Amino acid sequence: MGDAPAAGPVMPRGAVLLAAALAGIGPAAAEDGCARHATAFPALIGGAEADVLAALRAMPGIRTIRTGAPDSPMTQDWRPDRATVIVAGGRVLRITCG
């Protein structure tokens, strides 16, 4: 039997994808998705949920929008094309990317 090659450090798939997105490598680069619109988010805070969702849908690079209440359980996976909208009482409290 031959010797197997030594295995190097293994990086979790999510970490590899995040590193690639932050480095601007590949089609899922952070600047191509939600993050490029982050400077517009403060103007949307406090707005009606329906109006904010319509504005986010019109932003190129945002392909997925998820909404939730404060302290809602949500997955922690990184998606550069996703905006997360936190809503209470029909008003937007926070918008984040990923």
Side-chain angles (χ1 to χ4, degrees):
M1 287 189 207
D3 291 335
V10 176
M11 219 173 166
R13 182 174 184 267
V16 172
L17 294 175
L18 175 59
L22 293 177
I25 301 169
E31 64 268 14
D32 293 336
C34 176
R36 71 177 172 177
H37 302 290
T39 58
F41 295 166
L44 300 173
I45 303 302
E49 179 180 3
D51 295 338
V52 172
L53 295 179
L56 292 172
R57 284 186 198 103
M59 295 179 180
I62 296 178
R63 295 189 184 104
T64 305
I65 302 169
R66 67 178 172 179
T67 61
D71 300 321
S72 294
M74 293 189 188
T75 62
Q76 296 296 312
D77 61 318
W78 173 257
R79 302 247 333 254
D81 64 339
R82 178 174 62 202
T84 299
V85 181
I86 303 302
V87 180
R91 296 286 172 190
V92 173
L93 302 178
R94 185 172 65 239
I95 305 169
T96 59
C97 294

